[in-house]
């Protein structure tokens, strides 16, 4: 039944199954602080692409452990003077904004501090540090193991990343073919090239996460693909064309610039043909 579903519908169901599994563990085993299992699992599975899920799983493990160590130090400092919690909260709030664009494991250190200081601050009368460290570490390892097992040994059979990558790649090639048609007929205008740059960049932005996260899936088919280098070459060529035509102000280009313009167009066409030949 599931094989007849669209690939994206299959992925929606996979993510739903993962969420239900985390909630079932929380509700069925009566574990202390079990909400951490659901929160951690849901934050990892926010990523639609399996490579993103695996990336977050691998990076969250060291990030959370470092955050637990930092929280332990901060816990004892706060107990010397509870007013220092306000300073920590202000600093952590700033760090969450600053670290948002940094590597995921660094951001997890800050989010661990932010979430857990709230728990410690609001439950200081019943909060035991030794149980916090043990529970947090065990639940992190448990969620990591569940995510790895689901993605590698169950969900991985759907080969979602390769199929999604092929679809995104075909969309990008369609953009390339439309540019090639304009290049061959020499019908480039500054506004036309600018629009093509925008549409190609949007298609590329959809494909780039798959390329970046493929390393966590150990996907050799994607990792060895030379598409990234060739599309970068195409993009630079389009930018050069846009610049040339934008500077002409609708007038005919000088002879030297016409030669440069033709060289760029020929180079684009050759690259497009290589890309098309690879995918035939």
């Amino acid at each position: 039944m599931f094989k007849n579903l669209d690939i994206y519908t299959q992925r929606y169901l996979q993510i739903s199954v993962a969420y239900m599994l985390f909630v079932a563990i929380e509700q069925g085993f009566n574990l202390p602080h079990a909400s951490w299992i659901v929160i951690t699992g849901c934050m990892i599975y926010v990523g639609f692409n399996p490579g993103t899920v695996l990336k977050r799983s691998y990076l969250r493990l060291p990030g959370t452990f470092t955050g637990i160590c930092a929280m332990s130090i901060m816990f004892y400092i706060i107990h010397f003077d509870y007013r220092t919690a306000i300073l920590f909260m202000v600093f952590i709030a700033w760090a969450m904004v600053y670290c948002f664009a940094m590597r995921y494991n660094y951001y997890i250190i800050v989010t661990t501090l932010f979430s857990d200081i709230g728990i410690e601050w609001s439950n200081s009368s019943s909060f035991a540090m030794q149980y916090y460290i043990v529970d947090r570490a065990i639940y992190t390892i448990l969620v990591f193991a569940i995510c790895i097992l689901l993605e590698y040994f169950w969900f991985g059979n759907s080969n979602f990343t390769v199929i999604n990558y092929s679809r995104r790649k075909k969309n990008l090639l369609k953009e390339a073919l439309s540019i090639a048609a304009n290049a061959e007929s020499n019908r480039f205008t500054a506004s036309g090239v600018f629009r093509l740059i925008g549409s190609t960049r949007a298609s590329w932005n959809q494909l780039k996460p798959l390329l970046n996260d493929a390393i966590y899936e150990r996907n050799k088919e994607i990792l060895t693909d030379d598409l990234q280098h060739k599309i970068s070459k195409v993009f630079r060529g389009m930018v050069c064309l846009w610049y040339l035509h934008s500077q002409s102000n609708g007038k005919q280009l000088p002879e030297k610039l016409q030669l440069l313009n033709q060289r760029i167009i020929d180079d684009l066409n050759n690259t497009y043909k290589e890309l098309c030949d690879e995918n035939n």
Side-chain angles (χ1 to χ4, degrees):
M1 179 182 72
F2 290 106
K3 292 183 179 179
N4 297 326
L5 296 174
D6 179 78
I7 183 173
Y8 294 103
T9 305
Q10 290 183 36
R11 187 58 184 167
Y12 294 141
L13 292 174
Q14 289 173 1
I15 294 173
S16 299
V17 168
Y19 284 174
M20 288 189 291
L21 180 59
F22 295 133
V23 174
I25 294 173
E26 179 198 18
Q27 297 294 324
F29 290 91
N30 195 28
L31 299 171
H33 302 118
S35 59
W36 279 328
I37 297 175
V38 179
I39 294 171
T40 303
C42 291
M43 289 182 68
I44 289 175
Y45 263 94
V46 168
F48 189 73
N49 177 44
T52 304
V53 173
L54 291 171
K55 172 185 176 181
R56 288 179 173 173
S57 299
Y58 284 119
L59 295 181
R60 192 176 189 90
L61 202 61
T64 302
F65 286 159
T66 306
I68 292 172
C69 295
M71 178 61 192
S72 302
I73 296 171
M74 192 168 61
F75 174 84
Y76 287 108
I77 295 176
I78 290 174
H79 274 70
F80 284 114
D81 188 341
Y82 276 90
R83 290 173 296 182
T84 57
I86 299 174
L87 298 177
F88 280 124
M89 288 295 289
V90 172
F91 173 76
I92 293 169
W94 170 82
M96 288 187 70
V97 177
Y98 178 78
C99 296
F100 184 76
M102 296 179 68
R103 192 174 171 86
Y104 184 71
N105 54 330
Y106 298 145
Y107 185 67
I108 287 302
I109 296 173
V110 179
T111 55
T112 300
L113 290 172
F114 184 79
S115 61
D116 295 355
I117 192 176
I119 295 173
E120 192 282 326
W121 200 359
S122 59
N123 299 286
S124 57
S125 60
S126 60
F127 189 87
M129 193 63 191
Q130 63 271 27
Y131 296 126
Y132 158 78
I133 295 174
V134 173
D135 291 346
R136 198 76 159 90
I138 290 176
Y139 294 158
T140 301
I141 295 172
L142 176 63
V143 173
F144 170 79
I146 291 172
C147 293
I148 296 300
L149 289 172
L150 287 176
E151 289 300 331
Y152 276 129
F153 298 103
W154 186 9
F155 299 161
N157 295 330
S158 63
N159 212 16
F160 175 85
T161 300
V162 174
I163 298 173
N164 194 27
Y165 178 78
S166 298
R167 289 188 178 186
R168 300 293 186 189
K169 188 174 179 179
K170 287 179 181 178
N171 291 335
L172 196 58
L173 287 173
K174 286 180 182 179
E175 297 284 346
L177 289 172
S178 66
I179 300 170
N182 282 292
E184 288 176 346
S185 60
N186 202 16
R187 288 187 285 110
F188 271 115
T189 62
S191 59
V193 175
F194 186 75
R195 284 195 297 271
L196 288 170
I197 289 173
S199 60
T200 304
R201 183 177 180 181
S203 298
W204 174 246
N205 287 338
Q206 294 176 342
L207 189 66
K208 195 172 181 180
L210 298 175
L211 288 166
N212 293 338
D213 297 343
I215 187 173
Y216 294 94
E217 293 185 283
R218 302 180 181 89
N219 194 314
K220 294 182 179 179
E221 182 177 345
I222 296 177
L223 292 174
T224 56
D225 195 341
D226 197 31
L227 178 72
Q228 186 168 4
H229 171 71
K230 290 180 178 178
I231 292 297
S232 298
K233 185 178 179 181
V234 168
F235 199 80
R236 288 194 296 268
M238 285 194 299
V239 173
C240 290
L241 284 175
W242 173 75
Y243 181 77
L244 286 173
H245 287 273
S246 64
Q247 294 298 311
S248 67
N249 295 320
K251 300 177 182 178
Q252 187 175 3
L253 292 171
E255 183 177 354
K256 289 185 177 180
L257 292 183
Q258 285 182 9
L259 292 174
L260 177 60
N261 183 79
Q262 191 58 46
R263 284 183 61 184
I264 295 172
I265 291 175
D266 292 340
D267 190 35
L268 286 174
N269 285 330
N270 290 332
T271 306
Y272 298 146
K273 289 176 183 178
E274 291 177 12
L275 291 170
C276 292
D277 290 340
E278 291 177 1
N279 289 272
N280 288 333

